[in-house]
Amino acid sequence: MELTIAQRRVGTEEKSPESIVLRAGALTADFVAGGLRTIRYQGREVLRAIAYVVRDKDWGTYTPAIRDFTCRQDGNQFAITFRARCSNAELGQELEYETRITGNANGLITFDVTAEPRTPFLTARCGFAILHPLEGIVGQPAIIEHVDGSREHATFPDLIAPSQPFKEIRAIEHTVAPGVTARCRMTGDVFEMEDQRNWSDASYKTYVRPLALPWPYVMESGVRNQQSVELLITDSHAGAQATTSEEAKTNAPIQVAIGGPDGIFPQIGVAIYPGEIATVLAHPGVLKRLQPQLLLFHFDPTAGHGREHLAGFREIAQTAPASQGALELVVPAQRDVKDELREIAVMAAEANLKLSAVLVSPAVDRQSTLPGSAWPSCPPLGEIYQAAREAFPGVAIGGGMLTYFTELNRKRPPVELLDFVSHCTCPIVHAADDLSVMQTLEAMPSITRSARAIIGKVKAYWIGPSTIGMRQNPYGSRVKDNPENRRITMTDDDPRQTSLFAAAWMIGYAASTAEAHLRTLTVGALVGPLGLASVSVEGEVDYYPALYAAQGLARMGSHPRYSCHSSQPHAIAGVAGTDGDGNRLAWVANLTGQNQAVILAGGMAVTEALVLDEENFSQPRAISGSTSIELRPYAVACLTLEEPKP
């Protein structure tokens, strides 16, 4: 079946929500799906979002059905009104709310919502979420006004805060630019802030209803709830022209500069799950094409994984002798962990499965424990690590989390007992639109810097498997089904995995983790919903663009890396290194839905350029070697480089 342009770009025919640009003097905002995004003053981002968010019992986000929509604006002021409905047919529940949003040239935005459940409504959270961006705010001062009227001179966290940095908030004030301040005031409930970088969201989120209160909870039918947010921007230089033309920056070609040596490129790994063993063995060409440095075998006795799966892993490893094998082991911790781990080690030995590393994590740690909640019963991590070392002598022992940085940050392991520390990330915990997913890359430097502060500068650091889709939900009972192939949160079946979008996101991920000097980066599964390829019922293999990107990263894995800097990293990402033959390579990716002009700086000459885009979706096309290229939406390119001749 011939794919459409949209399917090639983002894997789905689902249209992105309409965006309306609102203007009131120097103040602009995008109205998207019932909320405000990218609120700017004189071109500088003040808030990333103000949204009224309704969650289900598992923290999934409802998509509201909007009606009776009106929008009026004249350049100096704007006003939006609408009604919205959130319903759950499975639970037979429904909530409606009325919204009014206004803004004026005096720098004032108000956002009012009155909600009324039509039935008893079970929710994990219902109310406003306000997002402060990272640029210009990380580590900077803030004034917090609390609900009791007291004022606290504080600082936005630099390293990622494991729990809420600010509680009982009524208002937050911060400096936008010299002489420009923003004050955001919330009413209708008690608000607190969490550091959303924990989940790779590029924001600090102020939200309603403290986490210390029970959840999920029931909103009673017919009981109205009113909340409001007021953003006031004060400019002591009102009327002055912006010092930077954001439009000129956006339209200028983006420079990607290749610098000097920068350590070793991480090993590239791929996850193998027990349910996919037969498919991988039946189609060895997929693994042969990728040639990763690491095969990460997932093994969970609590899910029924056993001896036959370890034997299957051995067969897969034999088809990729150049790849090391590591066991990602869920420890049941239901009996003496020494006995549990010894039994698994015996089964692995009997299966003749050769392992270079074992990553262990107790089963209870696959579910998140919120700040202030009681931790579930579990043997001390040190005891588990020591038992693993005894059961698997001579093998590198790793710990950390099989879930996300959030959980690692909240339950920090005794790293001195480990050879390496690992965690994953997932970009669709809180939002699933294209912009939000790509913006998660902005948070990765904060994640890796914070992780390094926990594990140290020299300890081996692994990340992954990290994919757009969520392989397991630590915050609810399950991941979401996605039969309509839509962009939704907390699903293991994200449509973009099959598209150029996933390839671009993967290159961006490798670029945004460069400063961490990772030992291993596992980029997803080989096949399946989180995979780099799929196999039809007829046995035909469909290679996704993400496989092409992963293959390119794997060529550089374990070889010298070079620094690579993009002048607009939110739009173009780049990585550089060498392959096994000593060829110097650079990979660049367009992280946006628009064409982008790219200029390669740093004195390198391009001898070959291969581009994968919507026209050349399954096989990259060669373009003439040039230091200037045009990348279509979510396109990726591999450039072969050489020093210019004197």
Side-chain angles (χ1 to χ4, degrees):
M1 182 181 69
E2 185 69 21
L3 298 177
T4 65
I5 294 294
Q7 289 170 328
R8 294 181 178 214
R9 288 180 179 176
V10 296
T12 178
E13 283 294 299
E14 179 193 24
K15 294 186 181 300
S16 296
E18 180 185 2
S19 178
I20 300 174
V21 179
L22 304 174
R23 299 183 184 279
L27 189 65
T28 64
D30 297 331
F31 177 81
V32 184
L36 298 181
R37 297 285 299 268
T38 318
I39 302 167
R40 295 179 179 272
Y41 182 78
Q42 291 188 342
R44 185 185 293 266
E45 189 173 22
V46 177
L47 293 180
R48 181 138 287 182
I50 303 175
Y52 191 81
V53 180
V54 184
R55 303 280 197 180
D56 65 22
K57 65 182 179 66
D58 292 314
W59 295 98
T61 304
Y62 282 94
T63 300
I66 294 176
R67 67 184 190 278
D68 302 334
F69 176 81
T70 68
C71 177
R72 301 183 302 276
Q73 61 174 323
D74 61 11
N76 289 311
Q77 58 186 352
F78 56 79
I80 285 177
T81 62
F82 63 88
R83 297 177 62 85
R85 178 186 295 113
C86 296
S87 58
N88 185 316
E90 180 182 349
L91 297 179
Q93 64 180 33
E94 183 176 291
L95 175 141
E96 291 198 354
Y97 57 90
E98 299 179 357
T99 300
R100 178 174 176 80
I101 305 170
T102 62
N104 62 44
N106 294 324
L108 177 65
I109 290 178
T110 59
F111 197 143
D112 296 296
V113 172
T114 301
E116 182 176 347
R118 299 303 186 189
T119 64
F121 194 83
L122 182 65
T123 179
R125 179 180 294 157
C126 181
F128 275 109
I130 300 96
L131 306 184
H132 283 76
L134 303 184
E135 186 176 356
I137 290 184
V138 172
Q140 296 304 305
I143 298 175
I144 310 299
E145 181 182 321
H146 296 286
V147 292
D148 63 3
S150 63
R151 289 165 60 87
E152 173 189 358
H153 289 266
T155 301
F156 286 99
D158 181 12
L159 298 178
I160 300 174
S163 59
Q164 302 92 329
F166 310 126
K167 296 182 178 181
E168 298 185 337
I169 305 170
R170 179 62 65 226
I172 303 173
E173 182 177 316
H174 77 280
T175 298
V176 178
V180 180
T181 60
R183 182 175 186 268
C184 188
R185 186 174 189 273
M186 296 77 67
T187 61
D189 210 322
V190 177
F191 288 74
E192 63 186 21
M193 178 185 285
E194 65 187 10
D195 195 334
Q196 278 211 130
R197 296 176 296 171
N198 275 296
W199 297 271
S200 75
D201 297 71
S203 58
Y204 302 94
K205 180 171 72 177
T206 303
Y207 56 90
V208 74
R209 189 173 170 92
L211 285 175
L213 296 176
W215 61 269
Y217 62 98
V218 175
M219 298 176 68
E220 297 299 334
S221 177
V223 178
R224 293 163 67 88
N225 176 263
Q226 194 275 333
Q227 296 178 26
S228 66
V229 175
E230 177 185 279
L231 173 66
L232 177 61
I233 298 172
T234 304
D235 186 354
S236 61
H237 308 294
Q241 295 295 315
T243 57
T244 303
S245 172
E246 293 294 328
E247 184 176 354
K249 285 174 58 179
T250 301
N251 293 333
I254 298 171
Q255 292 197 359
V256 175
I258 310 297
D262 189 26
I264 301 297
F265 208 87
Q267 297 177 344
I268 299 301
V270 65
I272 308 291
Y273 294 94
E276 299 159 359
I277 290 174
T279 302
V280 174
L281 288 174
H283 302 277
V286 182
L287 188 55
K288 183 178 180 181
R289 182 167 178 172
L290 177 59
Q291 296 186 32
Q293 284 78 47
L294 180 76
L295 301 177
L296 186 64
F297 300 119
H298 181 75
F299 190 80
D300 182 1
T302 69
H305 303 162
R307 193 182 309 270
E308 69 278 14
H309 300 113
L310 295 170
F313 292 152
R314 180 207 65 226
E315 291 186 55
I316 292 172
Q318 289 174 340
T319 68
S323 302
Q324 294 182 332
L327 198 64
E328 184 186 55
L329 176 55
V330 178
V331 181
Q334 296 168 352
R335 299 182 286 116
D336 187 313
V337 292
K338 289 186 177 181
D339 293 338
E340 290 180 340
L341 286 163
R342 188 182 304 114
E343 291 166 6
I344 295 169
V346 168
M347 286 193 295
E350 291 175 347
N352 200 26
L353 175 62
K354 307 299 182 183
L355 297 170
S356 63
V358 176
L359 169 60
V360 293
S361 179
V364 295
D365 282 353
R366 300 194 74 193
Q367 291 302 121
S368 184
T369 299
L370 292 176
S373 302
W375 286 91
S377 177
C378 179
L381 291 178
E383 180 181 325
I384 294 174
Y385 299 155
Q386 182 60 35
R389 199 169 291 282
E390 293 174 3
F392 296 92
V395 172
I397 300 300
M401 288 290 170
L402 306 188
T403 53
Y404 309 127
F405 174 77
T406 316
E407 287 68 54
L408 176 69
N409 203 18
R410 291 175 176 172
K411 187 176 182 179
R412 303 181 178 190
V415 297
E416 67 277 3
L417 302 179
L418 296 170
D419 298 306
F420 65 94
V421 177
S422 181
H423 67 82
C424 308
T425 67
C426 174
I428 57 169
V429 174
H430 294 114
D433 60 279
D434 294 340
L435 178 60
S436 293
V437 171
M438 282 302 185
Q439 284 179 333
T440 61
L441 300 175
E442 297 177 25
M444 290 309 302
S446 288
I447 285 180
T448 58
R449 191 162 47 85
S450 299
R452 277 294 180 197
I454 296 170
I455 71 176
K457 294 182 179 180
V458 298
K459 182 76 66 176
Y461 181 12
W462 293 24
I463 287 184
S466 293
T467 51
I468 297 174
M470 173 181 274
R471 66 170 181 161
Q472 183 250 338
N473 183 2
Y475 316 111
S477 59
R478 59 184 175 87
V479 294
K480 288 185 178 180
D481 296 329
N482 191 13
E484 297 179 357
N485 200 39
R486 297 172 51 225
R487 303 171 180 87
I488 61 174
T489 59
M490 297 188 177
T491 182
D492 64 347
D493 191 13
D494 190 281
R496 287 161 292 204
Q497 185 65 22
T498 66
S499 71
L500 291 163
F501 189 102
W505 185 81
M506 185 186 295
I507 299 299
Y509 200 98
S512 63
T513 55
E515 295 179 0
H517 298 287
L518 300 177
R519 178 71 57 84
T520 297
L521 173 59
T522 299
V523 294
L526 199 63
V527 294
L530 304 176
L532 305 174
S534 65
V535 179
S536 69
V537 293
E538 294 81 14
E540 295 182 358
V541 180
D542 186 11
Y543 296 103
Y544 299 151
L547 177 66
Y548 177 66
Q551 180 185 21
L553 296 179
R555 283 180 63 190
M556 297 186 290
S558 300
H559 297 299
R561 183 172 195 156
Y562 289 85
S563 66
C564 188
H565 174 75
S566 170
S567 62
Q568 294 187 38
H570 66 281
I572 292 291
V575 294
T578 55
D579 65 12
D581 296 323
N583 299 309
R584 191 173 296 189
L585 306 172
W587 281 80
V588 292
N590 183 354
L591 307 181
T592 75
Q594 295 80 41
N595 289 356
Q596 299 289 352
V598 181
I599 295 177
L600 190 68
M604 293 288 177
V606 178
T607 60
E608 182 183 52
L610 299 174
V611 176
L612 196 70
D613 59 20
E614 60 206 42
E615 285 195 3
N616 300 80
F617 184 71
S618 57
Q619 186 65 34
R621 62 185 169 93
I623 61 175
S624 60
S626 172
T627 57
S628 177
I629 59 174
E630 182 90 6
L631 290 180
R632 292 175 175 167
Y634 307 119
V636 297
C638 175
L639 310 177
T640 302
L641 311 173
E642 69 174 14
E643 296 279 359
K645 296 179 181 180

